[in-house]
Amino acid sequence: MSDRLSSLLQRFELRARVYHRGALCGIANFDGRDGVGHLHLVRQGPIGVTDRNGVRHVVSVPSALFYPRPLAHQLHADERDGADVVCAAIEFGLGDENPLLRGLPDLLIIVLADMPSLDSTLQLLFSEATAQRCGHDAVVDRLTEVLVVQMLRFAIERQIVDSGLLAGLSDTRLAKALTAIHADPSRAWTLEALAESAGMSRARFAARFAEVVGIPPGEYLMQWRIGLAKALLRRGRPVKQVALEVGYGGASALGRAFGQLVGMAPTQWLEQQHQ
């Protein structure tokens, strides 16, 4: 099977910036207005985390706490003993552009001991985080990006998310169709072609896709294309060129699809982003 993550990573560049390493004492607030996700690697706890709805989790063993989207939350550690934490801001496209972000839960908690394949990355990351070697900031950031990819791979392989894109990528047959869509959005995809790529009948594929991913294949394809169009428009690409790259015959066809999904024309949407 083709790589289930590479097309997503190529379209939406993953960036990490480590901004805290070491002891965390008391309460740390994250208001969600910074527009990024957050990864908190708890090397030694215990530590509590509370979201904006008051839902609280207590982590007593080394764990990864991953907020893929901007979301207000608090970390709570003992004021005297504290906790040993590495915190990073994570950018991986916006939630309405990257379907992987839409398909992840608000908070993903993974016990580090459950991911032995990440041991070498974690050891090097923690070692670099506490060192003062030349260029260690850049090394720590890149290692954190590697860790996020490995966590996503782990989530797919262990099927720890039961709906959305990540669940679809965990399904061997659906993953073939999803990977094909991600790799070649400009192709004139039909339900028959997607079902054939998954090795399923059209009816069975459509039903299974909607059950697992949560929306019909045609709607997912449109969301993927419009999400890509948004990302490309943000980068200053011309509407006509964007239309061809994401699978529409021209600017008018993109405009119709964009209006159907977003409620406005691409140029109007782009103007709003710059306000």
Side-chain angles (χ1 to χ4, degrees):
M1 185 191 302
S2 299
D3 190 331
R4 288 171 283 185
L5 283 176
S6 286
S7 294
L8 288 161
L9 295 168
Q10 289 166 1
R11 297 285 183 175
F12 299 97
E13 186 177 356
L14 172 63
R15 290 191 180 95
R17 177 181 56 82
V18 174
Y19 56 84
H20 175 85
R21 61 199 74 167
L24 177 68
C25 301
I27 297 175
N29 289 291
F30 305 86
D31 61 18
R33 290 181 293 183
D34 51 10
V36 298
H38 291 272
L39 175 64
H40 306 297
L41 296 172
V42 182
R43 191 178 186 186
Q44 183 176 351
I47 196 167
V49 57
T50 305
D51 67 18
R52 62 186 175 189
N53 299 315
V55 178
R56 180 178 172 87
H57 302 274
V58 177
V59 175
S60 55
V61 296
S63 302
L65 311 177
F66 183 34
Y67 285 92
R69 297 174 295 276
L71 185 69
H73 60 284
Q74 289 183 331
L75 297 182
H76 312 259
D78 185 87
E79 292 189 359
R80 184 183 62 183
D81 297 330
D84 188 0
V85 185
V86 174
C87 299
I90 305 295
E91 295 182 80
F92 192 22
L94 299 179
D96 65 342
E97 296 175 3
N98 188 339
L100 188 57
L101 293 183
R102 291 198 304 268
L104 285 167
D106 288 341
L107 171 60
L108 186 62
I109 302 178
I110 302 178
V111 175
L112 298 184
D114 291 341
M115 301 186 291
S117 60
L118 276 64
D119 282 350
S120 57
T121 304
L122 286 166
Q123 290 175 9
L124 185 55
L125 173 59
F126 288 137
S127 174
E128 285 287 341
T130 56
Q132 292 299 322
R133 301 186 185 101
C134 180
H136 79 283
D137 284 345
V139 172
V140 169
D141 290 347
R142 299 296 83 76
L143 286 171
T144 304
E145 293 166 4
V146 170
L147 184 64
V148 171
V149 175
Q150 290 178 314
M151 288 173 56
L152 294 172
R153 181 191 298 165
F154 173 85
I156 291 171
E157 292 172 348
R158 296 292 184 90
Q159 301 180 343
I160 64 176
V161 177
D162 57 10
S163 64
L165 175 57
L166 212 65
L169 293 174
S170 298
D171 183 296
T172 304
R173 291 175 296 179
L174 294 183
K176 294 177 181 178
L178 286 164
T179 301
I181 289 173
H182 296 157
D184 191 6
S186 63
R187 179 174 169 180
W189 289 108
T190 62
L191 182 60
E192 289 84 357
L194 291 172
E196 183 179 352
S197 70
M200 304 170 71
S201 70
R202 187 174 69 172
R204 190 175 182 186
F205 170 75
R208 179 63 177 166
F209 193 102
E211 176 188 2
V212 175
V213 181
I215 55 176
E219 185 175 344
Y220 180 87
L221 177 60
M222 176 182 285
Q223 288 187 3
W224 170 245
R225 286 171 166 169
I226 298 303
L228 288 179
K230 287 180 175 180
L232 293 170
L233 290 168
R234 287 180 191 275
R235 297 172 194 165
R237 302 280 282 278
V239 174
K240 184 177 181 179
Q241 182 181 350
V242 169
L244 296 175
E245 187 165 340
V246 303
Y248 295 101
S252 59
L254 174 61
R256 287 192 295 272
F258 211 96
Q260 181 180 340
L261 197 62
V262 183
M264 64 185 75
T267 51
Q268 184 182 359
W269 173 84
L270 191 59
E271 288 174 1
Q272 285 193 358
Q273 306 308 300
H274 293 156
Q275 289 178 358

